[in-house]
Amino acid sequence: MLNRVAVLTGDITAGPQPNQVPDLLISLCDRIAWISGNTHRELLEHRRGRRDSIPDPIAPGAAGQLREDHLDLLGRLPRSLALPVRGLGKVLSCHATPP
């Protein structure tokens, strides 16, 4: 069994504190499992010049504030994650529809 306490299922960096939120979550290290969401993809695409706009009006500003280490982290996140949960067995987590 893993000792994680939370599975984050995406879209955590598009708000008004795009650097503070991942910094706090990174500090929790092994207690957090991360999964990519559509906003993560949109932020990365916007910053890398592969997208001109993002539907959320706050997101372009957030994308501009993200540090390179956060962009690298977001780019490495899995789209889904199956983790063992005591009493349930393996549980699949994803942002929306399972891949």
Side-chain angles (χ1 to χ4, degrees), residues 5-78:
V5 295
V7 177
L8 306 175
T9 57
D11 297 355
I12 59 162
T13 54
Q17 297 180 312
N19 288 310
Q20 295 87 339
V21 171
D23 283 341
L24 174 64
L25 296 170
I26 290 166
S27 75
L28 299 174
C29 195
D30 64 340
R31 295 174 36 196
I32 300 291
W34 300 54
I35 297 169
S36 182
N38 62 301
T39 302
H40 295 144
R41 184 187 70 252
E42 293 167 356
L43 294 174
L44 285 168
E45 290 172 352
H46 187 71
R47 278 293 294 274
R48 303 291 189 235
R50 296 186 300 245
R51 172 186 281 268
D52 292 332
S53 65
I54 303 175
D56 181 340
I58 296 173
Q65 292 179 52
L66 285 170
R67 298 189 318 250
E68 280 299 318
D69 59 318
H70 293 149
L71 294 171
D72 292 341
L73 170 68
L74 296 178
R76 292 190 313 265
L77 295 179

